[in-house]
Amino acid sequence: MSDKQPEKPLRKAKLSDVSFVLASVALAADETFGDNPDFAAAEKRRYTPAYLRSLIAANPAYVMISENADGIRTGFMIAVPDQGVLISCWSYLLPEHRKGTHAVRAKRSFLNFWNNGRFHKVAAFTRPQNVTARTLMEHCGYSEKTLLEKHMFGEDFYLFECPLNKIIAGYDPMPSTGRIRDLKLRLRAALS
């Protein structure tokens, strides 16, 4: 794991951020998939405290926290390694922080952080009706690759990719969790 730090407005997550991320995932799932309650519920179940703790333990940069100039948490990004590709699972700003260039700066900081590392690209998905996300990704260097019809829970998604310069040998494995490991992480979180 690298000691490299993301540029402002992002920072690597801490175990103490798990409750904020969980609450924010619930907001994001309801906002993004409110018209598909099964999808929203599945996203809320997928991001458990144990799963988030395992991501942060594997590499705190897999969960990044967006902050404003006053250090107030404004959103989050979750990414996971998968067969040499970094999958951007969520990029979400709380509604009250969506004015101005904060989203662009956060997305660029995310890409700059992961560039020149162990991944050759970032992949992300967005629904066709999310014009704002599609425009943001294109503005930050992602390119639309294809429309995946009925891809997840019967919903269409666009696949976007952004190339990265891979200079470090090897690939990150998918983080895993187990009961004993999670108990240790919970204890560590309680003591921090």
Side-chain angles (χ1 to χ4, degrees):
M1 182 178 1
S2 168
D3 290 334
K4 180 179 172 184
Q5 294 299 315
E7 303 160 9
K8 292 290 182 185
L10 291 182
R11 67 168 170 81
K12 296 175 186 177
K14 302 173 193 159
L15 291 172
S16 59
D17 291 312
V18 167
S19 60
F20 168 78
V21 175
L22 286 172
S24 298
V25 164
L27 290 171
D30 287 339
E31 180 182 336
T32 306
F33 305 114
D35 59 337
N36 188 334
D38 291 336
F39 201 153
E43 284 299 282
K44 292 176 197 177
R45 283 191 307 272
R46 180 162 70 136
Y47 293 98
T48 65
Y51 181 58
L52 291 173
R53 285 190 294 265
S54 71
L55 287 176
I56 293 167
N59 184 340
Y62 291 150
V63 181
M64 294 223 196
I65 304 299
S66 174
E67 293 180 333
N68 66 15
D70 298 324
I72 306 290
R73 294 181 290 198
T74 59
F76 70 97
M77 293 182 178
I78 298 174
V80 296
D82 190 13
Q83 300 175 346
V85 175
L86 188 65
I87 307 294
S88 177
C89 303
W90 278 104
S91 291
Y92 185 78
L93 279 182
L94 299 169
E96 61 270 24
H97 299 286
R98 293 184 184 160
K99 300 271 185 201
T101 62
H102 191 74
V104 171
R105 289 185 9 247
K107 184 67 78 180
R108 285 187 176 149
S109 176
F110 173 84
L111 292 172
N112 288 338
F113 176 81
W114 290 108
N115 202 26
N116 297 317
R118 292 173 59 95
F119 297 98
H120 59 272
K121 69 180 174 181
V122 176
F125 302 91
T126 191
R127 295 173 83 188
Q129 60 268 42
N130 193 342
V131 176
T132 302
R134 290 169 55 203
T135 302
L136 173 66
M137 284 194 280
E138 288 172 349
H139 184 73
C140 291
Y142 288 78
S143 60
E144 180 184 305
K145 294 301 180 183
T146 192
L147 174 65
L148 302 166
E149 296 178 356
K150 295 182 173 54
H151 187 63
M152 293 180 263
F153 289 90
E155 298 284 339
D156 294 347
F157 281 84
Y158 280 111
L159 168 63
F160 280 81
E161 293 180 349
C162 186
L164 298 174
N165 185 29
K166 180 178 171 20
I167 63 170
I168 299 174
Y171 295 96
D172 289 1
M174 177 69 81
S176 62
T177 185
R179 281 188 283 209
I180 293 174
R181 179 180 174 151
D182 187 53
L183 285 172
K184 289 178 183 177
L185 292 172
R186 288 164 82 182
L187 180 60
R188 194 168 101 196
L191 297 174
S192 61

